[in-house]
Amino acid sequence: MVDDPEEGMLSWDESVFKNEHVFEIDYVPETFKHREGQTQSLTYALRPAVRGSRPLNVVVRGPPGTGKTTAIQKLFDEVGAQTSEVRTIRVNCQVNATRYSVFSRLFEGTFDYEPPSSGISFKKLFGQIAEKLVEEDRVLVVALDDVNYLFYENEASDTLYSLLRAHEEYPGAKIGVVVVSSDPALDVIDELDSRVQSVFRPEDVYFPIYDQPEIVDILTERVTRGFHDGVISRDVLEYVAELTAESGDLRVGIDLLRRAGLNAEMRASRTVELQDVEDAYETSKYINLTHSLSGLTDTEEALLEVIANHDGEQAGDVYEAFHDRTDLGYTRYSEIVNKLDQLGLIDADYTEVDGRGRSRSLSLSYEKDAVLDRLE
């Protein structure tokens, strides 16, 4: 009997996915593997809050895609399920990169509605949050996720100072801070003002890059929950894990599985093949680039585009092209260059220039087309 050529084909109403949401970057897995030590350290720091006391402050460090945000979210969910006397609020500092915007999110999390869009000072905003905590005798635990963005905007010290000194102005206010940094080059403590260093004294929790066996274990569970049986073979999964390990970012592997599945569906296939993975990797390998670009302002995007078109040129020459486009001054230009450098989007290296001494040359850290395509 001849095999039916349509047997391995999907019909219009079929999918290789059992639950595609499993492959979303913000999905919180039911089981959180290979981070037991870090979770235990975080639990230790937050345990006093459940007993009604101020928790220990924490610095959570590690490269992107190492489980930091998931660990915080799972712990906050557990605290919320255990008691209503602790309010936990996670602030995405890539989106909220100023002290005022951070406290606007804290206001929203405290009152369950947004503050007025204008006409309210920081002092009043802060005061209403603190007074509400004292009135309800609640402990507030704030997670400043991607706090490195507050440092890039020189807002970190003021933000932390306000949080850590709240009890002095509002006796009875109990606030703990979890600072989460994804910038390996950033020394959070050293970069803070001395007035903040004297009161911060955090616990340190480090999240290393997952090794390949750990990646295989984590992705296997995602495959089991997200795909129908038999969609991905062990060989294909091992290949995905290999590419993920090379990138050092678990998010690459998770995104890669989803895109490879979509590629299989485009072929109306019931199985994901190696070619589906290879095709998907051309997009998935840039997930950290996409994440970094998503937080840029229009002006910052404009400078990155100028650098892309003047790759490797001296900072002064790049500034002339940037100024022609935006009319901004050199001081603001220099601030944006430093931020793009800190984000790892560009390399701003000092070189010796004949007749001009030391000068910075600016070049992209990624392929030009990859950057420009994502700026469109």
Side-chain angles (χ1 to χ4, degrees):
M1 180 178 176
V2 179
D3 290 339
D4 183 353
E6 298 295 322
E7 187 178 336
M9 306 293 284
L10 290 171
S11 63
W12 282 100
D13 59 348
E14 289 182 306
S15 173
V16 297
F17 296 103
K18 182 164 52 180
N19 180 3
E20 192 173 345
H21 179 55
V22 167
F23 302 108
E24 297 291 344
I25 299 302
D26 60 355
Y27 173 77
V28 178
E30 291 184 26
T31 55
F32 187 44
K33 297 183 174 183
H34 307 295
R35 288 296 180 252
E36 291 79 9
Q38 290 82 357
T39 300
Q40 188 175 5
S41 296
L42 288 168
T43 301
Y44 168 77
L46 266 60
R47 184 170 285 123
V50 178
R51 299 195 294 262
S53 301
R54 187 178 296 111
L56 302 177
N57 299 312
V58 186
V59 168
V60 174
R61 300 179 297 114
T66 51
K68 301 182 300 298
T69 298
T70 300
I72 298 295
Q73 194 59 58
K74 285 192 75 68
L75 188 58
F76 278 12
D77 289 347
E78 289 175 13
V79 170
Q82 188 170 342
T83 177
S84 60
E85 301 304 309
V86 179
R87 189 177 288 276
T88 56
I89 304 174
R90 174 182 160 266
V91 180
N92 180 353
C93 297
Q94 184 183 18
V95 178
N96 302 286
T98 66
R99 180 177 67 163
Y100 192 91
S101 61
V102 166
F103 275 82
S104 293
R105 297 290 70 75
L106 297 182
F107 182 99
E108 183 179 0
T110 301
F111 291 93
D112 296 322
Y113 59 85
E114 293 186 4
S117 57
S118 61
I120 180 170
S121 67
F122 170 77
K123 184 176 179 62
K124 186 173 182 180
L125 188 73
F126 179 28
Q128 290 182 1
I129 295 168
E131 288 167 2
K132 182 75 168 176
L133 292 174
V134 174
E135 175 190 330
E136 296 182 345
D137 193 25
R138 282 187 172 182
V139 180
L140 173 63
V141 182
V142 179
L144 298 176
D145 205 355
D146 275 333
V147 74
N148 30 299
Y149 284 87
L150 289 180
F151 282 94
Y152 303 154
E153 300 296 338
N154 296 315
E155 294 274 348
S157 288
D158 286 344
T159 303
L160 281 169
Y161 186 81
S162 297
L163 289 168
L164 297 169
R165 296 282 191 177
H167 63 280
E168 296 179 359
E169 191 169 351
Y170 301 92
K174 290 170 283 191
I175 301 176
V177 183
V178 180
V179 166
V180 186
S181 172
S182 295
D183 184 348
L186 175 68
D187 190 319
V188 170
I189 305 301
D190 283 355
E191 292 297 324
L192 290 170
D193 292 350
S194 57
R195 63 194 173 117
V196 182
Q197 291 178 357
S198 64
V199 294
F200 192 23
R201 299 193 182 91
E203 301 290 304
D204 184 75
V205 182
Y206 182 69
F207 284 65
I209 292 173
Y210 292 106
D211 62 29
Q212 190 157 339
E214 289 172 340
I215 291 170
V216 170
D217 195 23
I218 294 168
L219 295 185
T220 297
E221 183 170 355
R222 296 281 178 127
V223 166
T224 300
R225 293 182 180 276
F227 285 117
H228 290 296
D229 292 344
V231 168
I232 289 194
S233 68
R234 187 68 181 183
D235 287 347
V236 172
L237 179 60
E238 292 277 1
Y239 183 52
V240 172
E242 182 182 326
L243 294 173
T244 305
E246 288 176 7
S247 73
D249 189 336
L250 184 65
R251 298 174 304 177
V252 170
I254 295 169
D255 189 67
L256 191 50
L257 286 172
R258 177 173 176 267
R259 292 183 185 278
L262 293 172
N263 286 346
E265 289 192 337
M266 284 289 290
R267 297 188 297 104
S269 173
R270 295 178 185 276
T271 58
V272 173
E273 306 299 335
L274 286 175
Q275 189 61 50
D276 296 318
V277 174
E278 291 175 357
D279 292 345
Y281 186 61
E282 291 307 306
T283 299
S284 294
K285 68 182 178 181
Y286 292 117
I287 193 167
N288 197 37
L289 169 62
T290 302
H291 178 73
S292 297
L293 293 179
S294 68
L296 297 184
T297 64
D298 290 345
T299 303
E300 291 161 353
E301 287 186 359
L303 176 54
L304 192 60
E305 187 174 337
V306 169
I307 293 172
N309 291 315
H310 295 78
D311 198 33
E313 294 185 15
Q314 299 302 308
D317 298 326
V318 174
Y319 170 67
E320 291 181 9
F322 177 69
H323 178 71
D324 289 343
R325 178 166 171 174
T326 65
D327 206 32
L328 289 175
Y330 196 89
T331 299
R332 181 57 185 148
Y333 162 73
S334 183
E335 290 173 349
I336 300 174
V337 167
N338 290 337
K339 178 177 179 178
L340 297 179
D341 187 25
Q342 289 168 324
L343 282 171
L345 292 170
I346 66 170
D347 294 313
D349 298 324
Y350 281 96
T351 56
E352 294 291 339
V353 180
D354 290 343
R356 295 169 59 179
R358 283 168 57 81
S359 176
R360 284 198 293 185
S361 63
L362 308 181
S363 57
L364 294 177
S365 301
Y366 295 88
E367 296 172 13
K368 176 180 178 181
D369 289 345
V371 173
L372 293 179
D373 287 350
R374 284 160 179 79
L375 286 176
E376 291 179 354

